[in-house]
Amino acid sequence: MAPRAFVALDLETTGLDANADAIIEIGAVRIEQERVTATFSTLVNPGRRIPLRVQQLTGIRDEDVAVAPSLAMVLPELRAFVGPDVVAVVAHNAAFDLGFLRAAGVNFQRPALDTFELAGILLPGQPSYSLGELCRALAITLDDAHRALDDALATAELFVTLRQLLFSVPGPVIQTLHTAGVDSNWPPMLLIDEAWDRLGRQTQAPARTDLSELALQPAPLPLVPETLIRDGGPPLTPVPEAELLDFFAADGPLAAQFDGAFEARPGQVEMARLVLAALNDGEQMLLEAGTGVGKSLAYLLPAALWSLRNQRRVVIATNTIALQDQLIDKDIPQVQAMLQGADGGELHAALLKGRGQYLCVRRLHAWYQGRALAPQELSVLAKVLVWLPATTTGDVSELFLPSSGERAVWSQICSDAATCHPGRCGGPNRRDFYLDARRRADHTHLLVINHALLTVDIGNEGRALPRFSHLIIDEAHHLEDVTTDAQTHMVDWRVLDAQLARLALDGALFGQVATLALHHRDGPVQELLAQTAGSARRAQRALRHFAEQLHNFAVNHTDLRTDAGYAQRLALDGRMRSQPMWSQLEIEWEQSDAALGATVRRLTELTAHLAATGWREEALEGALLAELEGLAESLGELHGHTCAIINGPARGEQVRQVAWLEYTPNAGQESQTLLAAAPLYVGDVIGGTLVQRLRTCVLTGATLRSGADFRYIRERLGLWDAHADALPSPFDYRTSTLIYMPDDLPQPNHPSYQRAVDAAIIAAATAAGGRTMVLFTSYAHLRATAEGIRAPLDRQGITVLQHGSSSRRRLLREYRATERAVLLGTRSFWEGIDLPGEQLSVLVIVKLPFAVPSDPLVAARSAEFENSFMEYTLPDAILRFRQGFGRLIRRASDRGVVLLLDSRIWQKRYGQAFLEALPACTVRRASMANLGEEVDLWLNKE
């Protein structure tokens, strides 16, 4: 094959909208035989001012482009640079750059290869797929990021690297992708076909690839006593407290790991003692451990000792992936090292996630066989096949599937409770990684899971997890929200439409069933297939019409704003259901209800016939039958939930569910208006169904109290009988933390409040030299503040980083790498952020984090209390406030200022409750005029 020429290009623009913003710089490089042979670069006069945030990002100022050529003058040169011999254009996030060029009338009429997509395929498991991070990971030079030519050169080198990686992919993977992508217009097929040619084009039809042989074999299961795998066994043996305390001694195993730098933490020792007592005695416990206590080790060590002594499993549930990773990669290995040679043998630990996280090779093989795949499907197939020979877990978190469409594809190839079991998912092309993980979980002492899987186990009556009677729940303040989410039914019309589309006669599922029915000469199946497919088509039409009517209802409702850039909820309460427009919707639903119900009945008749004719006994037929049965169950559940939401509770029936309509402007027609319902209260599920069936349950976290006691979280989680203790942080907040409240600040509803907030942040950040994080309760307020402070801080050499402009992970990385910066964040930044030392010196809390009172779930739960503000709204806000406060002081040596900009704290009677919930700090109320000086004095105090 003759050498091919490619052109890599990059643009810098005034914004992100190709139809409203303008190009300010173009860079392009020509690639031939793996090297750059020519470059093209020019600034472009956009005919408008460049926004300050773009100037900060790119370094391109208005004066730089004032004498630059216009885009009309530049484009002919760019077209000439991309000559007729160029086979493809290369870009990172190609849709962005080519979208701007198309808006300017430029279409190169050749494939566009996106290094962002190619990296997602060929480099699974990267923490980030931004150009800068990929270059850093691959040691590619990128001297001046966000300048077009430098980015284009880096993109070219990245492309060359990725192309070479593709040529090293195992032959069976290339063969499978080449076969699956025949006649596809997916751009990467250009490179896959090239790799196929390098392997040597075969004229005969390719043999089937056994995908299971591509995967690494699972590690042997550890040999453990039967008591760990099954219930029963000898009576439990308490672990003496003295044995635990020996590990924390100055000459103990823990100190030995710190090479002389060990400092005993009394709070950690006390927490470990309490956890051991709960395990020994069989107790339920709420245990708050302040920042710096070292709670992970404080519960892991007693759990490990007790589990080894008794050969019984202890399950540890966390909310965040970050904490799971910390436990598995750092804390548990530390405990295992300390327990080397301990009684009970080797300590085994494992991580188990929800079933949908794991790949089923059997479902993957059945999914892509015998049909033409769309470009997005080919992209997912490529990602999975390249990753398959390298993964030991089959966990989707190791893949990069950023879009909802890709995640929808994953749902068709992951392990599935309805269709996957050891008898079916074994042998050629049939390995199920969830079953591997589940077997390993059976053989482990410490099993780490997340809150979501714990709630699934509750809903499945204990079938999702190995049997256990001892549980530690970390980050327990999230448990109510996670349990609520797990029991929330969301009706997304796009999902429902996709489910029905699987019943098309020419689709992958019904197509295979029809082929097998023809082989078995089963005439009734052909008729049932046709009837079910016809019913599904009618249901699709009816549901699309209803979704459109629901959308019109939302658009025309006075309580919803069509110009808002965020999701809005409308409660479907008695007042709403009494309106004539909603009554009309209920009438409209009747046709969809009948069509969907008929489809479920037809599909159920089909599965019953297949089961009666012996399909369950055959391998392929049994798998297809299970798939159909799972689909019938899923559609039936969706039908039932939708009916319940639309029709509401019967007259006189006790309300246990809160229903709402969710409207998101500017989304796709079918997905922008959803229906949802959530449980009014989950404390009976947590405190009753879960905790009461366990011998021991310890719920811990840094913020469990909303004042001096645990009353609020006891009520929310149904834990009135649990023992409760609080271990304060060991940090000296009085000397480390100044709480500053500008007492001349206007109230939040005052017209001059925004200007005052801007001025306060500017003064504090200037005094601190950046090193500031600002926490907001709304994106709208964040955006307004960003615009107000950006220019003044730019003149001080301080960069403003804004939540919403990039992912949280990337923003934190940029903040740490920028010497002088201010980071603006909303709700997800209120916790889980660790910026120790001089990375963060000033924390600004703009408003008290009260829940939105109009939210249907908040409003319905509030209505259950006599004094909803004092018993529900205020305690909830105090917990969130404490989480935000905890971002500042992360180490004993840290020092900083908390700036509170909500005057309700000192002007409203309830405001004192927020301050009383914090550790004893130095508190100062003074004027705005003194703010900068006070910050400077506190941070530089000797």
Side-chain angles (χ1 to χ4, degrees):
M1 179 180 290
R4 290 172 155 179
F6 302 87
V7 166
L9 61 83
D10 183 79
L11 308 179
E12 301 302 330
T13 65
T14 60
L16 304 177
D17 188 342
N19 296 312
D21 294 304
I23 297 170
I24 57 176
E25 189 177 35
I26 301 174
V29 299
R30 184 180 175 88
I31 310 163
E32 296 177 272
Q33 295 184 321
E34 313 297 320
R35 62 189 182 89
V36 173
T37 58
T39 64
F40 171 85
S41 177
T42 181
L43 289 169
V44 179
N45 189 333
R48 67 185 74 179
R49 295 187 66 82
I50 302 174
L52 179 57
R53 55 187 168 79
V54 176
Q55 294 184 40
Q56 290 179 327
L57 184 67
T58 64
I60 302 173
R61 306 285 172 168
D62 288 323
E63 54 269 27
D64 298 325
V65 298
V67 295
S70 67
L71 185 60
M73 297 170 63
V74 168
L75 291 180
E77 297 180 61
L78 179 62
R79 287 191 182 96
F81 188 80
V82 184
D85 62 330
V86 171
V87 298
V89 175
V90 180
H92 199 74
N93 285 316
F96 175 84
D97 298 289
L98 298 182
F100 268 86
L101 290 173
R102 277 194 298 273
V106 177
N107 192 329
F108 294 115
Q109 302 295 333
R110 63 203 74 198
L113 294 170
D114 191 344
T115 49
F116 178 79
E117 180 181 31
L118 292 173
I121 293 170
L122 295 163
L123 297 171
Q126 291 296 306
S128 170
Y129 289 88
S130 69
L131 181 61
E133 290 301 313
L134 287 171
C135 288
R136 187 174 293 113
L138 298 172
I140 293 172
T141 301
L142 179 54
D143 293 326
D144 200 355
H146 302 297
R147 290 305 299 265
L149 182 58
D150 287 79
D151 283 354
L153 286 164
T155 300
E157 189 172 347
L158 175 60
F159 172 69
V160 169
T161 302
L162 294 172
R163 193 174 175 218
Q164 291 301 314
L165 279 175
L166 180 63
F167 295 154
S168 66
V169 167
V173 172
I174 296 297
Q175 170 188 313
T176 303
L177 290 174
H178 171 76
T179 304
V182 168
D183 299 326
S184 170
N185 61 353
W186 183 47
M189 286 306 302
L190 181 76
L191 302 181
I192 290 168
D193 290 342
E194 185 180 10
W196 179 245
D197 281 333
R198 285 183 169 232
L199 288 171
R201 187 175 294 278
Q202 299 179 9
T203 55
Q204 71 274 21
R208 277 191 168 188
T209 301
D210 185 346
L211 299 183
S212 296
E213 291 184 0
L214 289 174
L216 297 171
Q217 291 303 305
L221 293 172
L223 296 175
V224 295
E226 284 293 308
T227 52
L228 200 60
I229 303 172
R230 296 182 178 85
D231 289 340
L236 299 175
T237 304
V239 174
E241 183 179 294
E243 186 176 328
L244 169 69
L245 298 182
D246 285 345
F247 281 85
F248 293 96
D251 57 350
L254 181 59
Q257 296 194 353
F258 286 83
D259 296 325
F262 174 71
E263 270 187 43
R265 304 188 203 181
Q268 186 179 58
V269 176
E270 176 62 11
M271 180 174 176
R273 190 187 67 77
L274 289 169
V275 172
L276 181 63
L279 290 166
N280 280 338
D281 301 337
E283 291 183 349
Q284 277 71 48
M285 179 180 292
L286 285 163
L287 190 52
E288 181 179 280
T291 305
V293 166
K295 62 181 169 61
S296 298
L297 191 61
Y299 61 68
L300 284 175
L301 188 52
L305 280 170
W306 188 91
S307 180
L308 274 178
R309 178 65 50 84
N310 292 282
Q311 294 300 325
R312 302 293 205 284
R313 182 174 298 103
V314 177
V315 172
I316 299 162
T318 78
N319 182 60
T320 60
I321 294 174
L323 182 53
Q324 281 186 343
D325 291 343
Q326 176 190 315
L327 295 178
I328 289 293
D329 298 335
K330 176 179 175 289
D331 296 336
I332 290 178
Q334 184 180 12
V335 170
Q336 288 171 322
M338 285 191 285
L339 292 177
Q340 285 290 338
D343 292 343
E346 185 179 357
L347 177 74
H348 299 290
L351 173 65
L352 182 65
K353 299 185 179 181
R355 188 162 201 153
Q357 292 288 115
Y358 296 94
L359 176 69
C360 174
V361 175
R362 176 191 61 76
R363 293 191 79 206
L364 169 67
H365 190 265
W367 167 76
Y368 78 80
Q369 284 289 306
R371 66 186 184 93
L373 300 182
Q376 183 172 249
E377 293 177 317
L378 282 168
S379 182
V380 174
L381 178 62
K383 288 178 179 181
V384 171
L385 291 181
V386 170
W387 162 71
L388 188 56
T391 181
T392 58
T393 66
D395 180 357
V396 68
S397 65
E398 299 172 358
L399 287 174
F400 184 57
L401 302 177
S403 73
S404 59
E406 288 177 305
R407 293 189 291 274
V409 171
W410 175 263
S411 70
Q412 298 180 58
I413 62 177
C414 63
S415 184
D416 177 68
T419 67
C420 298
H421 59 73
R424 182 171 292 135
C425 300
N429 288 313
R430 292 182 187 174
R431 180 176 174 191
D432 187 311
F433 282 90
Y434 168 76
L435 298 176
D436 293 345
R438 185 63 173 75
R439 282 189 287 267
R440 187 160 297 279
D442 279 329
H443 290 70
T444 196
H445 297 91
L446 301 184
L447 178 61
V448 179
I449 63 171
N450 62 16
H451 290 179
L453 182 55
L454 183 63
T455 61
V456 169
D457 189 63
I458 299 171
N460 287 349
E461 300 176 346
R463 293 191 297 270
L465 295 173
R467 292 294 182 92
F468 67 97
S469 299
H470 302 84
L471 172 66
I472 297 171
I473 303 175
D474 202 345
E475 303 176 306
H477 60 281
H478 285 288
L479 192 56
E480 181 189 17
D481 288 342
V482 174
T483 306
T484 299
D485 289 344
Q487 297 189 16
T488 295
H489 305 304
M490 187 75 73
V491 180
D492 185 331
W493 308 109
R494 181 179 57 188
V495 171
L496 193 47
D497 190 80
Q499 295 272 52
L500 290 168
R502 298 186 68 196
L503 302 179
L505 285 173
D506 58 352
L509 182 58
F510 263 28
Q512 289 187 77
V513 175
T515 300
L516 285 171
L518 188 63
H519 174 72
H520 292 302
R521 298 180 180 179
D522 193 336
V525 169
Q526 301 286 349
E527 184 177 350
L528 285 169
L529 283 171
Q531 291 174 350
T532 307
S535 185
R537 283 196 304 273
R538 290 188 291 274
Q540 278 185 294
R541 286 195 298 268
L543 286 166
R544 287 170 183 173
H545 175 72
F546 179 78
E548 184 179 347
Q549 297 303 308
L550 187 68
H551 168 61
N552 292 336
F553 173 83
V555 168
N556 293 315
H557 200 281
T558 55
D559 290 345
L560 297 177
R561 290 176 48 198
T562 57
D563 60 343
Y566 52 87
Q568 302 163 75
R569 291 180 173 182
L570 190 65
L572 300 181
D573 51 18
R575 182 182 64 85
M576 180 62 61
R577 295 181 187 279
S578 65
Q579 294 183 12
M581 284 184 66
W582 184 261
S583 298
Q584 184 59 40
L585 273 176
E586 290 179 337
I587 295 171
E588 294 278 357
W589 168 248
E590 291 175 2
Q591 185 177 355
S592 300
D593 180 13
L596 186 55
T599 302
V600 174
R601 287 192 297 275
R602 293 289 189 190
L603 185 56
T604 304
E605 289 173 16
L606 172 63
T607 58
H609 175 84
L610 295 176
T613 52
W615 275 47
R616 209 179 299 281
E617 281 70 46
E618 301 293 329
L620 179 56
E621 287 86 341
L624 286 172
L625 174 57
E627 200 85 25
L628 290 169
E629 289 173 333
L631 186 53
E633 182 179 358
S634 176
L635 281 171
E637 289 179 354
L638 276 170
H639 181 212
H641 296 323
T642 310
C643 286
I645 293 171
I646 293 173
N647 297 326
R651 186 181 297 275
E653 181 182 348
Q654 183 178 359
V655 176
R656 299 182 181 275
Q657 295 280 315
V658 182
W660 67 87
L661 177 153
E662 189 162 306
Y663 170 68
T664 305
N666 304 321
Q669 176 97 0
E670 293 181 18
S671 63
Q672 62 185 353
T673 308
L674 312 177
L675 295 174
L680 183 62
Y681 179 65
V682 296
D684 50 353
V685 174
I686 297 169
T689 308
L690 173 64
V691 173
Q692 290 304 316
R693 70 177 174 85
L694 300 173
R695 179 177 179 273
T696 299
C697 184
V698 177
L699 299 96
T700 187
T703 52
L704 299 186
R705 295 177 300 160
S706 56
D709 57 39
F710 293 81
R711 180 180 179 83
Y712 175 72
I713 200 163
R714 283 185 188 277
E715 194 280 331
R716 300 317 302 160
L717 302 184
L719 297 174
W720 292 109
D721 297 329
H723 175 73
D725 253 304
L727 302 168
S729 168
F731 300 156
D732 183 358
Y733 284 93
R734 196 177 295 280
T735 59
S736 69
T737 307
L738 170 67
I739 296 178
Y740 193 91
M741 297 179 287
D743 56 9
D744 53 351
L745 193 77
Q747 289 199 12
N749 59 356
H750 194 278
S752 61
Y753 175 69
Q754 182 62 60
R755 289 195 301 275
V757 167
D758 295 349
I761 295 171
I762 291 167
T766 300
R771 300 185 296 163
T772 298
M773 183 164 70
V774 188
L775 299 178
F776 293 84
T777 56
S778 81
Y779 280 107
H781 196 183
L782 182 151
R783 288 192 294 267
T785 303
E787 293 305 310
I789 69 175
R790 196 182 303 278
L793 288 178
D794 181 64
R795 290 192 287 271
Q796 304 292 331
I798 297 173
T799 301
V800 174
L801 300 172
Q802 176 181 344
H803 188 193
S805 64
S806 188
S807 68
R808 187 175 97 147
R809 182 198 294 266
R810 185 172 178 182
L811 282 171
L812 286 169
R813 193 162 46 244
E814 289 185 30
Y815 176 80
R816 291 186 179 104
T818 305
E819 186 176 351
R820 293 164 64 85
V822 172
L823 177 59
L824 312 182
T826 52
R827 182 167 178 173
S828 66
F829 283 76
W830 284 71
E831 59 180 303
I833 304 292
D834 192 20
L835 297 168
E838 293 192 353
Q839 291 182 59
L840 182 63
S841 296
V842 176
L843 176 74
V844 184
I845 296 179
V846 178
K847 282 188 178 181
L848 294 174
F850 287 110
V852 179
S854 60
D855 180 273
L857 194 53
V858 173
R861 287 177 171 174
S862 297
E864 296 292 298
F865 297 89
E866 288 187 15
N867 186 339
S868 62
F869 181 80
M870 296 302 294
E871 296 179 74
Y872 180 75
T873 306
L874 182 62
D876 177 72
I878 289 173
L879 280 181
R880 298 180 196 276
F881 180 74
R882 292 184 66 205
Q883 290 157 18
F885 173 86
R887 297 316 95 214
L888 182 64
I889 304 300
R890 306 299 299 170
R891 307 288 186 273
S893 58
D894 288 356
R895 185 177 183 83
V897 177
V898 177
L899 176 58
L900 302 179
L901 298 182
D902 192 331
S903 59
R904 291 176 293 183
I905 294 176
W906 57 89
Q907 291 181 349
K908 299 292 185 181
R909 183 178 301 175
Y910 61 76
Q912 188 62 26
F914 286 90
L915 297 178
E916 290 173 351
L918 299 179
C921 304
T922 298
V923 180
R924 196 159 297 159
R925 281 181 57 187
S927 72
M928 285 273 291
N930 297 336
L931 174 57
E933 181 181 358
E934 293 283 359
V935 170
D936 179 61
L937 285 173
W938 184 265
L939 295 181
N940 295 297
K941 185 178 180 180
E942 294 296 332

